[in-house]
Every structure is written in structure tokens, then in C-alpha cells.
Amino acid sequence: MEKSGHPADAQVLYEKNIQIGRHLNTTVALAKLYIKKGKRINAITLLKRTTKIFRHEAVPWYLLAELAIQDKHLQQALYYFKKSLKADPINAFAHLRYARFLSSQKKHLQAIKHAKKALRIKKTCAPCWRIYGDILRASNKPKDALQAYQHSLAIQPNSNTRQHLVDVLQQLGKHQRAKRMQQALDAQRKIRL
């Protein structure tokens, strides 16, 4: 219903589903719908309630953290990220989101540590490798970032990751290779249009 342009009907269905029983995916979908509709307080309240119901799930905690980041409450975001890791220490996405947050705070060594942990948990996650590459690039480790982007592309080709790869090749001074890859990427984009 939501995807077909009926968010009000989707909200009613999500709310009924939650009343029937505990369902994490429905709760997360409803929280995201609340956010889209500008009902941040409802989303925060729902996610906080969800942390009590699903005590061993990281998802509601890291979604709360991301809302706190949007509100520029960085200490609160840090608290929520730590709670997400405590709730589910083997949730790769919790580690990855925390790593991205740490990287944005210029805490590069910690960011790399958590990104590596995420990759140990979820070795074949192409977006995880791309985000790891972004973190390495922000840490001024372009050679390592290049390898991470290549690993991501080997798992799942993606034009955004290819663009990151071109950018890091430019940064490394490999201008000819970057130029050829950029031309191929531009040609591929034109074909899609």
C-alpha cells in the first residue's frame, strides 16, 4: 500500500499488525513511515518501545541513533549506537552504521575497527565493502579504499561504487586508468537512459 501511494492505508495496516503481535519488520516500516509523514515523535516513541520488546535486536537502537544524528544530538546518538551493539553484538549493520558515525566524527581508527568487524560477520555484503572503502578514504588510506571498492564490485557491480573507485584512482594519481573507467561508466549511464 505504501509503495503504491497509499501511506494512510499502509499506516493503518502496520498499526493493526503490531496490535495483533510483535513483528520487528512491521515496527521498523511504521517508524519509517512516521518519519516520512513528519511524525518524528511518533517514530521515536515507537522505536523506544520496540527496544523494550525486542531486547536482543540492534535495529531500533541504531535507527534511534540515526534520528539523533539528524537532530544533531551526537552524545545521544553515541549512546544509542552503543546500546545497539550491546543488544546484538553480531549485527554487522550495527557495527557498520556505528563505524560510519565514528568516521564522521574523525575517529578513524575506531571506525576502521568496527567496519572490519562488520565485514568479518558479513563477508559478502557489497554495500558493506563500499562503506568500508568510504571510511578508509576518509581516513586517508586511498590504497586500502581502492581494494575495498574492488572487493565490493567483485561481489555486486554497482555504478555508485564504480564512481567511488574512479575518484580514488584520481586521488592515487592513476589518471589514465581513472579516465578510461569514467568513460566506460558514462557510456553505461547513457545506455540506461
Side-chain angles (χ1 to χ4, degrees):
M1 295 297 287
E2 185 180 352
K3 287 180 183 176
S4 63
H6 301 282
D9 294 332
Q11 180 180 330
V12 169
L13 291 173
Y14 287 145
E15 288 168 346
K16 283 184 180 178
N17 196 24
I18 289 171
Q19 289 172 357
I20 293 169
R22 301 182 323 171
H23 192 251
L24 181 62
N25 292 343
T26 301
T27 304
V28 169
L30 180 58
K32 288 181 178 181
L33 181 61
Y34 282 153
I35 292 165
K36 278 185 196 173
K37 293 174 86 177
K39 299 179 176 182
R40 289 176 70 80
I41 302 296
N42 292 30
I44 291 168
T45 303
L46 177 63
L47 289 170
K48 284 182 177 179
R49 192 171 358 136
T50 304
T51 63
K52 292 178 177 84
I53 297 168
F54 296 96
R55 295 185 186 276
H56 299 290
E57 290 291 343
V59 178
W61 287 113
Y62 65 65
L63 291 177
L64 283 167
E66 292 189 358
L67 288 172
I69 291 169
Q70 290 172 11
D71 294 337
K72 300 195 182 347
H73 298 138
L74 301 182
Q75 287 302 318
Q76 189 175 34
L78 181 63
Y79 169 78
Y80 288 145
F81 277 125
K82 288 183 177 181
K83 292 292 273 186
S84 77
L85 295 173
K86 188 176 180 184
D88 187 359
I90 58 169
N91 185 309
F93 298 111
H95 284 282
L96 201 59
R97 287 171 186 249
Y98 183 46
R100 194 167 34 193
F101 170 72
L102 291 169
S103 180
S104 74
Q105 300 301 301
K106 310 285 189 238
K107 296 180 180 177
H108 299 299
L109 292 176
Q110 286 180 288
I112 290 169
K113 176 184 145 196
H114 281 279
K116 282 181 177 179
K117 189 162 191 171
L119 291 170
R120 280 193 301 275
I121 296 167
K122 207 155 182 68
K123 293 176 180 74
T124 59
C125 172
C128 300
W129 281 98
R130 183 189 49 77
I131 292 168
Y132 179 49
D134 294 344
I135 290 167
L136 289 166
R137 232 176 119 194
S139 305
N140 202 25
K141 296 179 182 289
K143 287 182 182 177
D144 295 335
L146 178 68
Q147 289 179 339
Y149 293 140
Q150 289 172 330
H151 203 100
S152 176
L153 288 169
I155 296 168
Q156 181 181 11
N158 176 290
S159 60
N160 290 335
T161 306
R162 279 195 178 97
Q163 187 62 60
H164 287 259
L165 184 65
V166 169
D167 296 342
V168 83
L169 284 169
Q170 287 283 10
Q171 186 180 352
L172 288 167
K174 299 183 182 202
H175 302 294
Q176 282 298 107
R177 186 173 168 203
K179 183 179 176 181
R180 285 193 307 273
M181 287 189 72
Q182 187 66 58
Q183 289 170 341
L185 190 56
D186 292 343
Q188 184 182 27
R189 287 178 179 153
K190 283 181 185 176
I191 291 170
R192 286 188 190 156
L193 296 175

